[in-house]
């Protein structure tokens, strides 16, 4: 079935075949579990249990950054599990979220009242917190700070709907932008990246917002079916009296207008994404950051002006995803991918769309940024076979990334924006 969906795209079929025959297995990151403490081994086990897609990406990171990001992920997964658990009464949940960062320094603290599927990270939190305390001070300070700020933000939006576009940005900042900021500070703390990467919080925030907004846009129907609403009222109220009306065929025209408005808003983060990625120097960090971004721009292109957003699930082809993952190993290739999907969106812009002028302006800016001299070299130029093989490994995450995102609320504090 995967092959059939890629008919008409020969490169995708070739790349799918390479993946299917297991060409990436020989470079699967192998951790030295023998040298790890028992608690650290357990942390990696929890990582694999709670995020199959993200576990492999973490294990591809270099040096001590790998452990720091693993613990960062598990701490935020525990925080997110509290936020997601509807069985916890608000009077208990609010202080739990606001004080969660303090539990990192309480060796015996755990929480056994959750009913969520990932509750083991709360029930065995002492295992995670001890490995947090084993990290260097430079990593602990980042993780504790982001955990605190995210917990406060989650508590703020527990009973608050996303009304204005400004609040949409604020909500996405709390649940994804802070993740981008935290990761960037960890990259710099590890000295794998320059200090500037960690200092520029505006670019790091945009990295998270672009992913989060893409997920929210794509997941309209699923969220409606589960009683969640993350599209900002300021946007949808221009076209309908109720957000749920967009799921009705008679409101399709209005639904598409709102959809295109939100896609246009999300596209405004792309110049920052290009600027951020262009600063990265470490290959493992670049792959870690670039892959979700190219997946997001491809997903936005698939969503733009697409009625399927209101009728089912919009996914890019598996062969397409594998190809993107294999290509996104250098800045020129990433810029070319962004230019390609921006052009696809441009070709779908209707003369009657209310957001047409804004869409054309941001696409023009993206084109200018993505066609800089660094992007003019062909994506087919020589790349180290090691990185090609590593990309094939990461290609396994392509559809898992999107399926995992679709399987959890957009508010979930996943490491790359979901």
């Amino acid at each position: 079935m995967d092959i059939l969906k890629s008919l008409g795209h020969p490169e995708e079929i070739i790349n799918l075949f390479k993946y299917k025959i297991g060409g990436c297995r020989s470079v699967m990151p192998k951790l030295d579990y023998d040298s790890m403490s028992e608690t650290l081994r357990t942390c990696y086990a929890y990582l694999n249990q709670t995020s199959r897609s993200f576990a492999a990406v973490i294990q591809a990171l270099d040096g001590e950054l790998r452990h720091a990001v693993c613990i960062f992920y598990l701490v935020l997964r525990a925080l997110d599990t509290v936020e997601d658990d509807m069985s916890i009464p608000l009077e208990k949940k609010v202080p739990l979220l606001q004080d969660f960062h303090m539990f990192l320094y309480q060796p015996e603290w755990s929480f056994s009242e959750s009913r969520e599927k990932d509750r083991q990270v709360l029930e065995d939190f002492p295992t995670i917190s001890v490995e947090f305390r084993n990290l260097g001070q430079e990593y602990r300070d980042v993780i504790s700070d982001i955990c605190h700020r995210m917990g406060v933000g989650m508590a703020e939006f527990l009973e608050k709907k996303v009304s204005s576009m400004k609040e949409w940005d604020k909500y996405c900042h709390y649940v994804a932008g802070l993740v981008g900021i935290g990761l960037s500070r960890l990259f710099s703390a590890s000295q794998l990246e320059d200090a500037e990467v960690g200092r520029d919080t505006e670019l790091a925030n945009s990295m998270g917002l672009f992913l989060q907004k893409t997920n929210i846009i794509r997941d309209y129907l699923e969220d409606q079916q589960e009683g969640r609403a993350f599209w900002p009222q300021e946007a949808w109220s221009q076209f309908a009296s109720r957000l749920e009306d967009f799921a009705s065929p008679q409101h399709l025209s209005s639904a598409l207008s709102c959809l295109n408005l939100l896609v246009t808003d999300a596209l405004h983060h792309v110049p920052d994404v290009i600027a951020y990625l262009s600063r990265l120097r470490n290959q493992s960090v670049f792959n870690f950051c670039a892959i979700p971004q190219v997946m997001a721009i491809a997903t936005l292109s698939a969503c733009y002006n697409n009625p399927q957003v209101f009728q089912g699930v919009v996914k890019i082809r598996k062969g397409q995803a594998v190809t993107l993952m294999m290509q996104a190993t250098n800045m020129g290739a990433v810029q070319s991918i962004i230019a390609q999907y921006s052009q696809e969106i441009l070709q779908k812009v209707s003369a009657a769309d209310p957001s047409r002028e804004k869409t054309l302006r941001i696409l023009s800016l993206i084109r200018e940024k993505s066609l800089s001299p660094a992007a003019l070299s062909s994506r087919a130029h020589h790349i180290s076979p090691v990185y090609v093989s590593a990309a094939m490994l990461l290609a396994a995450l392509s559809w898992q990334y999107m399926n995992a995102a679709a399987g959890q609320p957009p508010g979930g504090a996943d490491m790359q924006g979901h």
Side-chain angles (χ1 to χ4, degrees):
M1 183 61 70
D2 299 337
I3 298 293
L4 292 177
K5 290 180 180 178
S6 289
L7 288 177
H9 304 273
E11 183 182 17
E12 292 181 13
I13 296 176
I14 293 170
N15 290 332
L16 260 178
F17 179 72
K18 288 178 180 178
Y19 170 70
K20 292 287 189 180
I21 63 174
C24 62
R25 290 175 185 156
S26 62
V27 294
M28 176 69 71
K30 293 183 180 179
L31 299 182
D32 183 7
Y33 288 104
D34 292 339
S35 65
M36 292 183 188
S37 65
E38 182 177 350
T39 49
L40 186 56
R41 287 196 296 270
T42 302
C43 284
Y44 275 98
Y46 288 153
L47 175 66
N48 281 282
Q49 291 168 19
T50 57
S51 180
R52 290 176 302 167
S53 60
F54 197 59
V57 192
I58 288 180
Q59 291 173 189
L61 288 169
D62 291 339
E64 62 184 19
L65 178 62
R66 181 187 305 125
H67 296 331
V69 175
C70 172
I71 300 306
F72 187 37
Y73 174 85
L74 291 176
V75 169
L76 297 190
R77 172 55 59 211
L79 177 68
D80 186 52
T81 301
V82 172
E83 195 269 344
D84 282 346
D85 196 331
M86 302 305 292
S87 71
I88 304 174
L90 284 179
E91 60 269 20
K92 178 177 288 189
K93 182 182 289 189
V94 169
L96 274 175
L97 292 173
Q98 293 173 334
D99 298 339
F100 201 87
H101 66 291
M102 295 190 292
F103 303 147
L104 293 167
Y105 289 100
Q106 297 178 18
E108 304 302 320
W109 185 88
S110 64
F111 187 77
S112 58
E113 300 173 35
S114 175
R115 299 177 183 175
E116 290 290 296
K117 62 180 178 63
D118 292 333
R119 60 185 176 273
Q120 74 268 28
V121 295
L122 289 169
E123 294 170 348
D124 193 20
F125 196 73
T127 291
I128 297 169
S129 67
V130 72
E131 287 302 329
F132 163 82
R133 294 189 296 277
N134 286 338
L135 294 172
Q137 185 70 44
E138 65 274 22
Y139 298 125
R140 297 199 305 273
D141 288 347
V142 172
I143 295 171
S144 177
D145 177 56
I146 296 300
C147 180
H148 182 199
R149 292 160 66 184
M150 186 175 288
V152 170
M154 286 178 167
E156 177 182 336
F157 276 92
L158 277 178
E159 291 188 301
K160 179 180 177 181
K161 291 185 177 180
V162 180
S163 298
S164 67
M165 298 298 287
K166 186 175 181 180
E167 283 183 339
W168 198 37
D169 279 353
K170 187 177 184 181
Y171 170 75
C172 292
H173 165 73
Y174 281 140
V175 301
L178 283 174
V179 179
I181 291 170
L183 285 169
S184 300
R185 290 169 60 188
L186 292 178
F187 298 157
S188 294
S190 72
Q191 299 187 349
L192 292 177
E193 297 296 345
D194 294 340
E196 181 184 28
V197 171
R199 283 197 301 262
D200 196 333
T201 57
E202 183 176 348
L203 292 188
N205 187 59
S206 277
M207 291 282 284
L209 263 62
F210 184 57
L211 299 180
Q212 186 70 14
K213 288 182 178 182
T214 299
N215 290 339
I216 289 174
I217 290 167
R218 180 201 58 199
D219 292 342
Y220 164 83
L221 187 61
E222 178 185 335
D223 287 335
Q224 283 295 297
Q225 291 170 342
E226 297 187 12
R228 301 190 297 254
F230 295 99
W231 283 25
Q233 184 175 359
E234 181 181 333
W236 61 256
S237 62
Q238 298 177 42
F239 308 102
S241 57
R242 301 181 308 164
L243 179 57
E244 54 266 34
D245 288 346
F246 289 155
S248 301
Q250 61 266 35
H251 294 287
L252 180 58
S253 178
S254 296
L256 291 174
S257 294
C258 185
L259 169 64
N260 295 343
L261 183 155
L262 293 180
V263 170
T264 299
D265 178 85
L267 287 172
H268 280 84
H269 299 292
V270 174
D272 281 351
V273 168
I274 294 172
Y276 182 96
L277 293 175
S278 68
R279 290 178 176 175
L280 301 179
R281 298 293 177 263
N282 178 270
Q283 187 69 46
S284 72
V285 172
F286 184 86
N287 291 348
F288 179 94
C289 295
I291 288 171
Q293 302 296 332
V294 297
M295 295 287 290
I297 189 74
T299 301
L300 275 188
S301 177
C303 287
Y304 185 84
N305 210 41
N306 186 351
Q308 187 63 22
V309 171
F310 307 99
Q311 300 164 4
V313 180
V314 175
K315 292 183 181 180
I316 64 175
R317 300 177 303 276
K318 290 183 179 179
Q320 181 183 7
V322 169
T323 298
L324 286 172
M325 304 286 257
M326 293 177 66
Q327 290 175 338
T329 58
N330 63 82
M331 196 60 217
V334 168
Q335 288 178 281
S336 295
I337 291 168
I338 290 172
Q340 171 193 336
Y341 286 106
S342 298
Q343 183 64 25
E344 284 190 8
I345 295 173
L346 178 62
Q347 293 171 351
K348 293 186 281 188
V349 177
S350 166
D353 188 83
S355 303
R356 172 184 170 83
E357 293 305 317
K358 291 181 179 179
T359 307
L360 293 180
R361 280 199 297 271
I362 187 57
L363 288 175
S364 176
L365 178 59
I366 293 170
R367 179 176 176 80
E368 176 186 332
K369 299 291 185 182
S370 60
L371 294 182
S372 65
L376 295 180
S377 59
S378 168
R379 275 186 266 163
H381 69 72
H382 175 72
I383 303 173
S384 166
V386 172
Y387 292 136
V388 172
S389 297
M392 290 176 66
L393 162 66
L394 294 177
L397 308 177
S398 55
W399 55 88
Q400 290 182 11
Y401 163 77
M402 299 208 299
N403 288 343
Q408 57 185 313
D414 208 336
M415 298 296 295
Q416 298 183 348
H418 26 306

